[in-house]
Every structure is written in structure tokens, then in C-alpha cells.
Amino acid sequence: MTEATSARALKPWEDPNAKPFLQIRNVTKKFGAFTAVNDVSLDIYQGELFCLLGGSGCGKSTLLRMLAGFEMPTSGQILIDGEDMSGVPPHKRDTNMMFQSYALFPHMSVEKNIAYGLKRDGVPRAEIATRVTEMLSLVQLDGLAARKPHQLSGGQRQRVALARSLIKRPKLLMLDEPLGALDKKLREETQRELIKIQETLGVTFVVVTHDQEEAMTLSSRLGVMTAGQIVQIGTPHDVYEYPNTRFVADFIGSVNIFEGKIAEDADDHVVIHSGDTDSDILVSHGISGVKGQSVAVALRPEKIAIERALPESLANRLAATVDDVSYMGNLSVFHVTLPTGKQVKVSQTNRRRSDDDAIRAGEAVQIGWDGAASVVVTA
Amino acid sequence: MGRRGKRRGDGMTPRALLEWVGAKGRAFVVAAPLAWLTLFFLLPFVVLAKISLSESAIARPPYLPIWEWAEGVLNVSLNFGNYLFLAEDPLYLMAYLGSLKIAAAATVITLLIGYPMAYVIARAPQHRRNILLMLVVLPFWTSFLLRVYAWIGILKGNGVINNVLMSMGVIDEPLVLLQTDFAVYLGIVYSYLPFMILPLYATLVKLDEALLEASADLGARPFVTFLNVTLPLSVPGIIAGSLLVFIPAVGEFVIPALLGGPDTLMIGSVLWNEFFSNRDWPVASAVAIVMLVVLVMPIAILQRTQSGKEEAN
Amino acid sequence: MRRSFSLRMTAFLGFVFLYAPILSLIIFSFNASKLVTVWGGFSTKWYAALLQDQQILDAAWVSLKVALMSATIATVIGTLASYALARFGRFPARMMLSGAVTAPLVMPEVIIGLSLLLLFVALESLVGWPAGRGVDTIVIAHATFGAAYATVVLGSRMGSLDRSIEEAAQDLGARPIRVFFDVTLPALAPALISAWLLVFTISLDDLVVASFVTGPGASTLPMVIFSKVRLGVSPEVNALATLIIVSISAVILVAAWQMQKSEAQSH
């Protein structure tokens, strides 16, 4: 499958006639009195790489385990390729899973680990051998077939786990924190490889992760989970630029939130009156809300300009004092305080190696942003 | 889709049937050990209780049945005489008290010896720790009976200790060491020391060294740190170890039989003699039931500390 | 540092206390004198005498048979019980099962022995089985309390087992029973060996329970030793003790060494 025909490019979720490959319908899972997954509905399409993103204990792993068959929903239904999975145990599902701990069989060689699934299906020996060889070269482990798991590095183990879970050519592959155990450098490399493998094989991936950067990089779409519910589903771009709640805005990336009320509600713009700012905030797109409704304006630090003096044409301009400047290498983060006492984070790319004229802590500055830069969230 | 389709086609087994087989497999895994243990561990106690209420007789087996079915009449005769007998003869009370006293004192001594050993092992470097632990466990694996026997050769009149002391001129006449309560204490402490060290070690090794460093950093001397941090945190190990020594020591038979003297009164030996010498099975059963009643509390406490540990894991 | 030294000294003396009696037992087994504890020169004659002692040889054979069978039965029961306790979550009779596998660990032997004997006698008069007592009844008794030890050893291993390797096998298409044999059992192998060895040595060593449940035909080695040493120390028993202790220690040390090696590999 090439880039042009992958789910990433085709966006089947925008096509009302497309048939979802995996349907999760009102699934709830309770452990005693605790509700781990609360009435989740979700459609995932053929060839997607879907990420379930959330903090620990948000129910993402439980949801994944229900897809694999290790847990049964308390109520609701899971359909894979149109087939109801209720009561189907894991070993009878055409899905596979890559475990967070990798779960390699410690007493079997790499080759035996990878071949295990095919053996259980009674695939002829010769075919197993060819497919294992193919798989080893796909994950670039040629020559390591005879090793035992304890003789491998973390990155190699991860590849064995991936190969083992892919060899049965599952219709759906679930990955539980697939890169969680790798260090940062290796993780970035592996992310790209994972996408390549996924697109080569055209397998639908559902990935669970708590790492928002990872979810942004990997996924065709992602679902943000908290307290057992999916709060937003969308492409990484949608979720980052158009968060639908304060929680999502805050969970993904860094954000400034201005609490306020709708003061003026027009089709093409709204004005928000906020106690956090001296002047009202202009938002240059309409929203679904009524005058007087409490809302929040979410504004990303990198969308705010900071200068000693900003042009008057800018829709929103506020005076501020710089508290401190954190130098992060690629960018600098300014912590500024507005006259109301509200603290705001502003980030700026460091284009020059050194800047004698750079804004320093203690200076009086202006911050400002365009009317299209912010998002109004009602929840 | 081919795989699933094929499996369904050739197996012709409805899912319900498969699940039924699966459930049966699970049931077997539970039922087999449960049946064995019910029959050979739990049921015997019922029989024991029953026999303790029957009358002794010169017969095979040497007791009378407690119920009889004769001419449409069920005759049940529960004989509480065995228990009254235990209450009336001071021998039994003395034996119970003697067992409890010896077991309790021996437990305290074992704790005093075992604690420093467990502490040193837990604080030893990793590679040495395993070796030391092995040294503790090894005697436990080898024969208990023979290790008790070894003490006879050491303690007796012309045994190792007396020979050494006399040749050094410390004493002129051999000390009477064997067949004394002292020898029984020694035997219990010696035999059960590993049971004390292992649970103590298990709690001490889990103790975070940073806690000790924090205490020292805050100005506590090592001994104060021990009293305020280490000791309270090792209480579960102390309880488990002490009960593991105390409970079997109460019912101990081999040690008093080999090392104890005629004055050493322990209930395990009394039970043994009732059974083997007097052939009074009902009285032996009553002795056992009373011993169980005495031990039921410590056993319950031990079970609770163990299951609490399981849940914590 | 001083404190640490005195602590170490205490521990050292503790180990001396543990091993001195065993050492003296071994040394005096090579004593030529019949007085056992009075040294009369080096000799191996008591080992030779041991091989002539038909009573001891017979008893050793009985004990070996009993230990082999009861260790095997106990390991099977212990595997099932610990698997059920570790893997099935809550199920009916869970409390009963966990109680029944832990209680024998602390139950005084005289009570276990007496109550089992009474059961056997009652069963015999009720259903005619077991007909008489002997090796069979000792095996049952040893397997029963041995199962408790086996369950403890296996349970702790089962608890530390990464469950996801079992799930991975199932995910790749293995039925539960297949998962057990392909993944669980190999991972349990070291614990199975320890459990089996433990029950084997406990069975080999048991005097009290066996004395209660045996019949006229079957005397185990500890029973013969006990009747001999009640009459006083005997150089033959020292020789026998040396053989038993040395051989058991050797097996245990080799097993422990092997296990540590395989443990190091799996990490």
C-alpha cells in the first residue's frame, strides 16, 4: 500500500458511506464498583493507525484488552469486520496484540517466538520458515533468529515482539505502549519505522499510549481518553488546533486558558469578556453559544507574539511584564504577568544563535494574537 | 477470514460446547486438589472429633461406635468422659502448660538469635546474600531427625561438650546436659531457627535503605534508627517467624522424646504415649482436639498475616 | 563500625550453631571407637556395617519409594491448586482451598498423623479401603501435607510470573491448556523442581506422621533410626546420617546453582 492509498491519505472517516472495520458500540467495563470504561463508542477504519491517548488509569488499556478478548465488556458490543466478538476468546480472534512488556517467551529463541502463532494454526513447516525469514528481514533482525530474548537489546526485543504479533497477518493489531520501554532517540526512529511497516502491510493498528507526542506522530486519528470516556476523536491536527474541551486543550500540548463570558455573538466573530484580561478578547470565527454563556478561550503559547511594541493592527494586544525566560534551545518560553495578575506562557522560536536585543526578565512588553489564533471551548 | 471459517467448518463444534469444555477444565483444576485435601485433610478432623467422643474399648479398632442402629432405634452415645478425664488429671493440664511455656520461651530465644542473622544477611552485598541464605536453608532441607540426633552425641555424659570441658580442666565431673529441659530448648531453637530467619529476612530485605539513610541524615544514631525505623517495619516478619516456630513447637514430639528427660512434660509426647503405649485412641483424640483449640488462634493470626502479604503483592 | 562487627560476629556464631552439630555427626561417623564421641582413630567400618544391615536397607527402600511417589503426587496437586489460586480470581470454594493448602504447614504433626490414621481406619470399616495400612497410606499422608509445601513454593513463583506471556500465547492462537504446557509450565520448571525436591526430602525425613499411618509391614528409615537412637547413639546411625545429609546437600546445592544460572539467563 502506498502513501496515496493509505487510510492516512484517503480519510475514510470523512466518507459517510465507508464501512468501519472496527466498531465499538456503547462499551462499558466495570470491575466491581469501579467503571474502567464508560459507554465508549468508536469506529475505526481499515488501514488506520488509531491511537488511544490518555493518562494512566483512564481506561485505554482496558479498552484495548477488550478488543483482544482478555476482558469481556460488561455491556455494549464490539464488532470486528462486521462480526460480533462477544464471548469469543483471544485465541479465536483474528487480531493480535503487542504487549507493553513485549511478553517474549523467555525459553524460546527469536525464531520460535515469531513462529509460535503460525504453529498454533498448523501452518506447514516450510511455509513457517519462509514467513519467519520474511518477517525477520522486515523488522531488520536478520541473523538473530537463534538468539534467546535475554541476549537481545531493548530495541531488538521490541522488534521481535512486533514481528511475532504481525506474522499471522492479523486484521487488527493492538499495540500497548509499543515504544514505552525505549529511550527517546530510539523511540523517534522506531516511530517512523512503525508507520512504514503499518503502511506496507496495510494492517489496522490500534495503539495505546500516554505520550502525546508519540500519538501525534504516529496516528492517522487519535482518541483522547479520560475517566473511562473518549472525550475527542480526530486527526492529530484537529485535536491540537480544535480541542473541544479545556481538558483536551490542556492535555495535548501546552495552553493558556482565559475564563470569560460571551459578550458579543455574531456569525463571523465573537467577543469574550474575561476577568483575566483588561480588554475583551476578539475571536474571528463564529461559535455555537449564546450571549452571556461561560466559556474559555484556549490559546497556544506559540501562537502569541511578544514584542516591546506590537503593531496596532493585531486583533488582541495586552500589556505584560516578563517574569522570567526559560531557554529551551530550539525555543524560548516567556512567563509573563498581565496587569490583572493572570500569568501567560508565550513561546518563540530561537532563529538566531545569539541576540543582544532579546527580551529579558523584568521588561515591560506587549503580547498579542490574531483573532483566528484562539479556540473557544464551552466544556 | 479464511482461518476462522475453516476452524468453524471442520470442528463442527458450537461455541457453547467449547465453552462447556473450557469450564469443565477449570472446574477440574479446582476440584481435583480440593477433593484430595477435603478427603485427606479436612475430613480427618471430623473423624478425630467423632472418636474423641467415643468410648475406649479393647477391640479392633479400640473404641466403640458413637451411634448404633438397632431394631429401628438410633442410639447415639456421646461420651464426654475423655474431656472430663483430661480436666481431672493434672498431668494433662501440666503438659499443655509445659508445652506452651517451652514453645514460647524457645520462640523468644530463636527470635533473639535469628534477628541479627536475618539482618546481616539482608544487608549483605547481593552476591553474598544468596550464599548466606542458602546456608540458612540447607540444614532445613536435610534431615530434621538426624540433626536432633546430632545433639545427643554433643550433650551426653561422655559427649563432645563434656569431653572438651573435662580435658581443658574446666570441670571435673561431666555436666548433666542431656535429658533436661535445657536440651529441649536447645533442640527447638536449633531445629526451627531457619523458620524464624526466612520471614525476618523477607521483610528486612525489602526495607528501603534510603529510610535508614534518611533517619541518619535527620540525626538519629544507628541504634535509634533501628528502634524507630527498622524494628517497627519488620514487625510482620517477627510475627510470622515467631508463629512458625511457636505453633509446631507446641505439638513437638521428636525433640522432647530424644533430648528431654522424664520431667519434660510436653503435650505432643503425651498424645504419642496415649496412642502408642496406652492404645487409648479416644483420649488421644481428645488431647489432639484440645491442642487444636489452643492453637487455632495463633494459626488464624498466621493465616491472616500471610494472606495480607499476598494481597500486598 | 564496631556495632557492625559485633552484629556480624553474632551472625557468624549463629551459623556455627547451625553447622557444628552436623559437622560433629559427620566427623564421628569415621570414628573407629564404638563409643561414638570418644575418638579412636579414623575408620570407615561403620559404612561397611551399614551395608550389611538388612533392616536399614529395607527401610531405606521403603522410604525412597514413599518419597518418590508422594513428591510426585504432591507436586501435581500443588500445581493445580496454586494455578487455581493464582489465576482464577474469585471462585466458589476459594477460601476452603486456600485454607486447606496452608493449614497443613503449621499443623502439629501428631495431629495430622492421628487424624489421618483415624480416617483410614474409619474408611476401611466403612468402604473396605484402604485395606490395611502400609506404604500406600504413608504416601497419601505425605502427599497431603507435601501438597501444601508444593503449593507455597509454586504459588510464589506463579505470582511473580509475567501474566502477559500467557496472554501473548493465547493471543497468538493457543488454547488455555496449550498455553499452560507451552508457556506456564516451562516458566514454572525451576519451581516445580524445588517443590518436588522439598516434598521428597520432607517425606524422607518424616517420623511422626508415618508412625501413625503405617501398618505392620512398612517401616520407613526415620522409624528405624528413631528406634535405634532411642537406645542411645550408634556409630552406624552416624554413618547413615552422613550419607543422607551429604547426598541431600549435594542435590540441593546443584539444583540451586542450576536455578540461579537459569534465573540469570531469563533476566
Side-chain angles (χ1 to χ4, degrees):
Chain A
M1 212 175 264
T2 60
E3 178 68 24
T5 56
S6 75
R8 209 173 282 270
L10 290 174
K11 299 186 192 278
W13 51 89
E14 287 177 357
D15 176 3
N17 296 321
K19 201 173 160 295
F21 178 68
L22 166 68
Q23 290 165 280
I24 300 172
R25 292 183 183 159
N26 306 100
V27 164
T28 295
K29 176 70 187 177
K30 289 183 180 167
F31 294 106
F34 174 71
T35 307
V37 172
N38 189 0
D39 194 23
V40 165
S41 294
L42 172 66
D43 287 342
I44 294 175
Y45 297 85
Q46 179 80 51
E48 269 205 84
L49 199 166
F50 193 95
C51 280
L52 284 167
L53 174 64
S56 63
C58 72
K60 56 189 194 300
S61 291
T62 306
L63 187 57
L64 198 72
R65 291 172 59 81
M66 286 194 280
L67 299 183
F70 296 121
E71 309 284 353
M72 292 295 167
T74 309
S75 64
Q77 232 185 353
I78 293 170
L79 288 91
I80 297 176
D81 207 3
E83 236 181 298
D84 184 1
M85 288 288 120
S86 318
V88 181
H91 57 284
K92 298 214 179 69
R93 296 190 181 202
D94 292 343
T95 61
N96 283 119
M97 174 139 162
M98 189 184 140
F99 290 80
Q100 181 172 10
S101 63
Y102 306 147
L104 300 179
F105 307 130
H107 55 295
M108 295 184 199
S109 64
V110 167
E111 189 182 8
K112 289 243 170 72
N113 260 286
I114 298 177
Y116 188 84
L118 295 181
K119 266 200 194 144
R120 294 289 73 76
D121 279 3
V123 174
R125 263 206 176 149
E127 193 189 333
I128 293 182
T130 1
R131 279 170 71 176
V132 168
T133 314
E134 272 171 29
M135 202 39 91
L136 280 168
S137 75
L138 181 75
V139 297
Q140 302 167 25
L141 284 175
D142 320 70
L144 298 181
R147 295 261 183 102
K148 287 276 184 74
H150 67 94
Q151 296 168 310
L152 300 176
S153 72
Q156 289 168 334
R157 281 183 215 181
Q158 193 260 359
R159 287 149 192 269
V160 176
L162 183 64
R164 188 180 67 178
S165 59
L166 279 170
I167 196 147
K168 292 179 79 172
R169 297 170 190 152
K171 295 194 273 189
L172 179 64
L173 182 67
M174 268 113 8
L175 302 95
D176 191 357
E177 304 275 4
L179 311 173
L182 305 181
D183 61 52
K184 196 169 164 25
K185 258 258 155 25
L186 194 57
R187 199 157 61 214
E188 280 167 10
E189 272 174 44
T190 316
Q191 278 171 3
R192 268 179 291 133
E193 253 170 60
L194 204 58
I195 296 175
K196 218 175 80 192
I197 289 174
Q198 190 257 338
E199 289 183 343
T200 314
L201 301 176
V203 178
T204 309
F205 276 25
V206 179
V207 177
V208 151
T209 178
H210 68 278
D211 181 338
Q212 43 126 337
E213 250 177 73
E214 188 171 301
M216 303 286 279
T217 322
L218 285 178
S219 52
S220 58
R221 284 189 306 153
L222 56 89
V224 182
M225 281 192 81
T226 181
Q229 290 181 305
I230 296 194
V231 282
Q232 188 169 7
I233 300 169
T235 61
H237 178 264
D238 289 344
V239 174
Y240 186 79
E241 300 295 350
Y242 306 101
N244 62 0
T245 55
R246 284 182 186 82
F247 173 82
V248 174
D250 193 43
F251 186 76
I252 300 197
S254 171
V255 77
N256 297 295
I257 301 271
F258 301 98
E259 301 287 345
K261 284 190 165 60
I262 302 178
E264 193 185 323
D265 183 19
D267 281 350
D268 63 342
H269 75 275
V270 280
V271 174
I272 313 286
H273 180 74
S274 168
D276 290 335
T277 56
D278 291 334
S279 50
D280 289 348
I281 301 168
L282 178 78
V283 179
S284 63
H285 53 83
I287 61 162
S288 52
V290 291
K291 198 171 163 177
Q293 188 184 344
S294 289
V295 292
V297 177
L299 185 60
R300 302 277 180 202
E302 75 276 10
K303 299 209 164 41
I304 305 177
I306 181 164
E307 291 291 343
R308 296 197 173 86
L310 283 167
E312 281 184 34
S313 58
L314 209 55
N316 300 287
R317 273 190 312 152
L318 301 166
T321 317
V322 179
D323 295 332
D324 67 69
V325 184
S326 313
Y327 176 74
M328 321 272 284
N330 57 343
L331 43 84
S332 289
V333 177
F334 300 85
H335 296 266
V336 306
T337 306
L338 305 182
T340 55
K342 169 79 178 170
Q343 293 192 317
V344 178
K345 251 202 294 194
V346 180
S347 66
Q348 231 180 22
T349 312
N350 293 321
R351 290 209 182 77
R352 274 177 257 164
R353 292 178 67 188
S354 63
D355 189 354
D356 295 335
D357 199 28
I359 294 170
R360 290 173 215 288
E363 278 190 66
V365 293
Q366 281 191 319
I367 60 167
W369 63 94
D370 187 68
S374 62
V375 178
V376 179
V377 292
T378 52
Chain B
M1 61 160 272
R3 264 181 284 156
R4 167 99 41 76
K6 209 169 82 190
R7 193 170 292 158
R8 275 210 184 140
D10 63 18
M12 288 304 285
T13 38
R15 188 182 292 164
L17 185 69
L18 277 174
E19 269 171 23
W20 181 77
V21 172
K24 232 181 91 171
R26 252 173 91 109
F28 171 78
V29 172
V30 176
L34 193 63
W36 181 285
L37 289 162
T38 308
L39 180 58
F40 296 121
F41 185 70
L42 300 177
L43 195 58
F45 290 114
V46 179
V47 181
L48 184 72
K50 194 193 110 183
I51 306 293
S52 77
L53 293 173
S54 67
E55 208 165 325
S56 173
I58 299 170
R60 279 180 77 90
Y63 54 86
L64 297 176
I66 62 171
W67 57 65
E68 247 169 333
W69 182 259
E71 293 157 22
V73 181
L74 177 68
N75 279 314
V76 181
S77 57
L78 296 181
N79 173 22
F80 290 92
N82 302 316
Y83 290 96
L84 290 175
F85 178 63
L86 295 191
E88 279 161 10
D89 191 335
L91 167 86
Y92 296 99
L93 183 66
M94 299 293 285
Y96 281 112
L97 291 179
S99 290
L100 289 175
K101 189 194 87 186
I102 291 177
T107 302
V108 173
I109 301 168
T110 314
L111 178 63
L112 291 178
I113 299 175
Y115 200 104
M117 291 181 75
Y119 189 88
V120 168
I121 299 171
R123 291 277 157 266
Q126 179 78 48
H127 61 278
R128 208 179 305 162
R129 209 183 286 165
N130 286 336
I131 297 171
L132 291 175
L133 212 54
M134 196 66 224
L135 281 175
V136 170
V137 181
L138 199 58
F140 163 74
W141 283 85
T142 59
S143 173
F144 165 75
L145 177 63
L146 293 173
R147 282 184 299 127
V148 175
Y149 161 73
W151 281 104
I152 300 179
I154 296 177
L155 297 176
K156 66 183 186 141
N158 59 350
V160 176
I161 291 183
N162 280 319
N163 284 349
V164 169
L165 291 180
M166 296 221 295
S167 67
M168 277 167 36
V170 181
I171 50 171
D172 303 326
E173 256 171 62
L175 299 170
V176 180
L177 299 169
L178 196 63
Q179 301 195 331
T180 60
D181 282 3
F182 166 76
V184 174
Y185 283 116
L186 196 66
I188 293 177
V189 172
Y190 177 69
S191 306
Y192 291 102
L193 191 56
F195 289 91
M196 180 64 84
I197 296 178
L198 291 180
L200 279 174
Y201 165 80
T203 52
L204 286 171
V205 79
K206 272 188 282 180
L207 192 78
D208 188 354
E209 199 126 9
L211 293 177
L212 307 184
E213 287 168 0
S215 171
D217 182 59
L218 295 167
R221 286 183 299 118
F223 186 67
V224 177
T225 299
F226 174 78
L227 280 185
N228 287 310
V229 181
T230 313
L231 198 58
L233 286 173
S234 57
V235 165
I238 295 176
I239 294 177
S242 300
L243 291 172
L244 283 175
V245 175
F246 178 77
I247 297 167
V250 170
E252 186 54 55
F253 162 72
V254 173
I255 295 170
L258 290 183
L259 304 180
D263 301 334
T264 312
L265 256 186
M266 287 190 76
I267 199 64
S269 321
V270 170
L271 190 154
W272 180 281
N273 290 333
E274 284 304 340
F275 182 84
F276 287 101
S277 310
N278 301 350
R279 277 187 65 80
D280 194 334
W281 293 15
V283 166
S285 302
V287 169
I289 292 285
V290 174
M291 201 196 305
L292 261 181
V293 170
V294 170
L295 288 179
V296 83
M297 267 299 278
I299 290 177
I301 296 171
L302 182 66
Q303 298 261 26
R304 267 187 65 173
T305 58
Q306 297 305 94
S307 64
K309 208 167 66 192
E310 251 170 54
E311 262 158 47
N313 289 342
Chain C
M1 278 303 104
R2 270 189 64 91
R3 179 179 312 283
S4 159
F5 175 76
S6 60
L7 203 60
R8 273 181 211 188
M9 203 59 213
T10 321
F12 175 73
L13 290 176
F15 281 111
V16 171
F17 175 57
L18 276 179
Y19 282 90
I22 297 174
L23 228 57
S24 84
L25 200 66
I26 294 172
I27 292 169
F28 286 109
S29 75
F30 295 105
N31 186 4
S33 159
K34 204 176 163 53
L35 285 168
V36 181
T37 49
V38 180
W39 189 251
F42 182 85
S43 160
T44 52
K45 66 177 173 188
W46 304 114
Y47 290 88
L50 200 59
L51 292 174
Q52 306 295 318
D53 192 328
Q54 198 55 42
Q55 193 195 8
I56 284 187
L57 292 179
D58 289 346
W61 177 234
V62 169
S63 277
L64 218 55
K65 271 195 297 192
V66 168
L68 282 171
M69 285 191 279
S70 53
T72 308
I73 298 171
T75 307
V76 172
I77 299 173
T79 307
L80 294 174
S82 60
Y83 189 77
L85 290 173
R87 289 287 180 270
F88 291 175
R90 277 171 206 185
F91 56 86
R94 187 197 165 87
M95 275 295 287
M96 204 169 144
L97 184 61
S98 75
V101 294
T102 47
L105 296 179
V106 289
M107 196 57 68
E109 293 165 315
V110 282
I111 298 183
I112 297 184
L114 177 61
S115 62
L116 258 176
L117 166 80
L118 296 176
L119 175 86
F120 289 141
V121 171
L123 277 181
E124 190 181 4
S125 71
L126 216 63
V127 296
W129 178 91
R133 292 177 297 283
V135 170
D136 297 355
T137 46
I138 307 176
V139 168
I140 291 174
H142 286 184
T144 304
F145 70 76
Y149 285 91
T151 307
V152 170
V153 172
L154 289 162
S156 73
R157 176 73 188 185
M158 202 95 73
S160 66
L161 212 75
D162 180 6
R163 277 197 80 159
S164 61
I165 68 165
E166 293 175 68
E167 290 179 343
Q170 204 188 1
D171 184 66
L172 293 165
R175 287 181 300 132
I177 182 99
R178 187 87 224 191
V179 173
F180 181 78
F181 283 105
D182 280 0
V183 177
T184 317
L185 216 52
L188 281 182
L192 284 170
I193 295 170
S194 318
W196 192 91
L197 279 175
L198 182 62
V199 180
F200 182 85
T201 56
I202 290 174
S203 164
L204 212 55
D205 190 33
D206 169 67
L207 164 72
V208 176
V209 176
S211 299
F212 277 99
V213 299
T214 191
S219 288
T220 63
L221 198 52
M223 285 155 67
V224 171
I225 295 172
F226 185 68
S227 65
K228 276 186 189 291
V229 303
R230 265 204 138 168
L231 306 172
V233 283
S234 123
E236 247 179 59
V237 173
N238 275 40
L240 179 62
T242 304
L243 288 180
I244 292 177
I245 289 173
V246 167
S247 54
I248 290 182
S249 302
V251 172
I252 299 307
L253 287 174
V254 169
W257 178 63
Q258 284 289 337
M259 246 165 255
Q260 202 157 16
K261 226 172 59 178
S262 75
E263 192 101 315
Q265 270 182 14
S266 66
H267 285 296

